[in-house]
Amino acid sequence: PPIEEIVSQIAKRDKARIFPTGDTASNMLGLSEQVPMKTCFLTSGTARDLNIGGRTVELKRAAPKNFAYSNEMVGVLTQALRSIGEENITDEIKAKIPAILSAVERDKRFEADLKLAPAWIEKLILELIKR
């Protein structure tokens, strides 16, 4: 099974929340083709490194605000964009964002989720979905 599914089951067992972060989130969303050597997730549980099938999975303890997103997709996208960095956002990445958010309902919860993201990410997403 995919690493993400295994980590999800571990989090479920530990009654913790997880969220892919950095390069892991970028790769999962298709914003980057690079597969990270170390798969990384934020967790509300215990921080630790796991060795799964010869791959290292890092679980980093994170503040509760990282898990405040109503829609997980917005949170994962925020983590991916934060990892890429504002100065490295290409037109190719911008073109993929509306498709990533296509299944996300544009309601008050969506607006609240955007407020949790850094200002440059909120501005970028709003600009791209209004096109």
Side-chain angles (χ1 to χ4, degrees), residues 57-77:
V57 177
E58 182 180 10
L59 298 179
K60 290 183 182 179
R61 181 115 168 98
K65 72 176 186 173
N66 290 293
F67 303 99
Y69 293 93
S70 297
N71 187 301
E72 189 173 318
M73 188 56 63
V74 177
V76 174
L77 180 60

Side-chain angles (χ1 to χ4, degrees), residues 6-7 10 13 48-52 55-59:
I6 295 169
V7 173
I10 291 170
R13 178 197 71 196
R48 59 190 161 188
D49 286 343
L50 306 169
N51 189 356
I52 301 173
R55 293 200 46 204
T56 302
V57 177
E58 182 180 10
L59 298 179

Side-chain angles (χ1 to χ4, degrees), residues 56-115:
T56 302
V57 177
E58 182 180 10
L59 298 179
K60 290 183 182 179
R61 181 115 168 98
K65 72 176 186 173
N66 290 293
F67 303 99
Y69 293 93
S70 297
N71 187 301
E72 189 173 318
M73 188 56 63
V74 177
V76 174
L77 180 60
T78 299
Q79 291 295 325
L81 293 174
R82 185 181 286 156
S83 159
I84 294 168
E86 182 175 10
E87 63 282 350
N88 297 320
I89 302 295
T90 63
D91 289 337
E92 184 181 334
I93 291 172
K94 288 179 181 179
K96 292 179 182 180
I97 291 173
I100 291 169
L101 294 174
S102 65
V104 178
E105 199 172 325
R106 308 293 197 288
D107 57 8
K108 291 199 183 291
R109 292 182 306 167
F110 177 73
E111 292 172 18
D113 283 351
L114 288 181
K115 296 287 182 206

